[in-house]
Amino acid sequence: HEVIRLFILLNICRSSSCPNSNKGDAGSTGSRGPQGPKGDKGECGKSGPKGDIGPSGSPGEKGHEGERGQTGKRGPKGYAGPPGVRGAPGLKGDSGVYGKMGHPGKHGPSGLPGRKGEKGQKGDYTGVEGIPGMNGQQGEKGEPGNKGEKGDLGPAGVMGPLGPKGNPGSKGARGASGKKGSRGIKGSKGDNSKVRRSAFSAGLSKSFPPPNIPIKFDKILYNDQEDYNPSTGKFNCSIPGAYVFAYHMTIRGRPARISIVAQNKKIVKTRETLYGQEIDQASFLIILKLNAGDQVWLEVGRDWNGIYVSAEDDSIFTGFLFQNVHESQY
């Protein structure tokens, strides 16, 4: 490098000091001098233009498997693929746990009526009460049966009400004059008021009355004193004394248990056992002592309300004053 620098300086001197001299012949190449010290780092040159893309190199050998990267975020849901080929049926699984009972379904349409079955044997127990059937058409009147044998004499009945006063008898023969008796004690002043009365009679207009409440006999036959209330079915005592109460009931299709209620307690309980479409009658009579303000009515029991009425059959409740308190004192 020193030789090169000297050669450059020599040429500069020649050109500057001897502008008009002729150029001499080139000397022989000197021997290579020793390597000079490393020069200072030059300034960074500007980036050259981007070269053309070179041809693709041949594929390199497969590198070693790299470490597993971190799990990436879940991508969006892809479109549903076409349905696959139906597989073969699987084996029968174990029985599942019973699910909760579902809500009751709507009533389905009524099926066609089945054929009438044969009449079964009479069961040992009373079945659940059925819905009353519609009144059938009245059948033709049958021929009168043969007169039955005279029955045994029944027990003596309850004494009936006092009958009306009879006609005066014929005048008898005059008897012998008796001795004059002593003067009697002066009697109390008599009651000139009218005899007080209380009576009613009413019929039922609807069959099978509701149980455990007063039966409303709403078809009034007699109720001049209005002591019976058809809207409540109760008789209200306005005159203290002894009263006669009676009922006559038609029973059909189911049994009947009838109670007479007085002073808020069941005084008498009777029943009539009947099933099917048979018809029977039930009657009862009783005398009760009542105070003013007492109430009397009839009731039927649950599932024992077979009281029936129709155009040909009646059910009636009756009551009347037999003897008031003032009459019983004489």
Side-chain angles (χ1 to χ4, degrees), residues 8-9 39 45 47 50-51 58 90 97 117 131 140 164 215 219 258 260 265 276:
I8 294 172
L9 290 174
S47 300
K50 186 175 181 180
S58 58
V97 180
I131 300 173
E140 298 179 359
I215 301 174
K219 191 166 65 174
I258 306 171
I260 296 180
K265 60 182 178 180

Side-chain angles (χ1 to χ4, degrees), residues 27-220:
S28 60
T29 303
S31 60
R32 184 175 181 176
Q35 184 176 353
K38 185 177 180 180
D40 297 329
K41 185 175 181 180
E43 295 180 0
C44 232
K46 296 180 179 180
S47 300
K50 186 175 181 180
D52 298 331
I53 298 174
S56 298
S58 58
E61 295 180 357
K62 183 176 181 181
H64 298 291
E65 184 176 355
E67 296 179 359
R68 184 172 181 178
Q70 297 180 353
T71 305
K73 294 182 179 179
R74 185 172 182 178
K77 185 176 180 180
Y79 297 105
V85 181
R86 184 173 181 179
L91 299 175
K92 184 177 180 180
D94 297 332
S95 299
V97 180
Y98 284 101
K100 296 181 179 179
M101 181 178 289
H103 297 290
K106 297 181 178 178
H107 289 287
S110 299
L112 298 175
R115 297 180 181 178
K116 185 177 181 181
E118 297 179 358
K119 185 176 181 180
Q121 297 179 354
K122 185 174 181 180
D124 296 330
Y125 300 97
T126 302
V128 180
E129 178 184 342
I131 300 173
M134 299 176 63
N135 294 338
Q137 298 179 354
Q138 184 176 358
E140 298 179 359
K141 186 174 181 180
E143 297 179 359
N146 298 327
K147 185 175 181 180
E149 297 178 0
K150 185 176 180 180
D152 297 332
L153 183 64
V158 181
M159 181 178 179
L162 186 65
K165 184 176 182 180
N167 297 325
S170 58
K171 188 174 182 180
R174 184 180 180 88
S177 299
K179 295 180 180 181
K180 185 176 180 180
S182 59
R183 185 180 181 86
I185 302 173
K186 186 178 180 180
S188 60
K189 187 177 180 179
D191 186 7
N192 296 326
S193 61
K194 294 183 179 180
V195 178
R196 300 179 67 186
R197 303 181 184 277
S198 178
F200 77 95
S201 187
L204 193 65
S205 62
K206 294 182 180 179
S207 301
F208 313 119
N212 302 324
I213 61 174
I215 301 174
K216 298 178 182 179
F217 293 87
D218 52 358
K219 191 166 65 174
I220 299 299

Side-chain angles (χ1 to χ4, degrees), residues 1 10 13 22 26 33 61 82 121 182-183 196 220 274 289 294 317:
H1 289 283
L10 183 59
C13 289
N22 295 325
E61 295 180 357
Q121 297 179 354
S182 59
R183 185 180 181 86
R196 300 179 67 186
I220 299 299
L274 187 68
K289 185 177 180 180
D294 288 343
F317 180 33

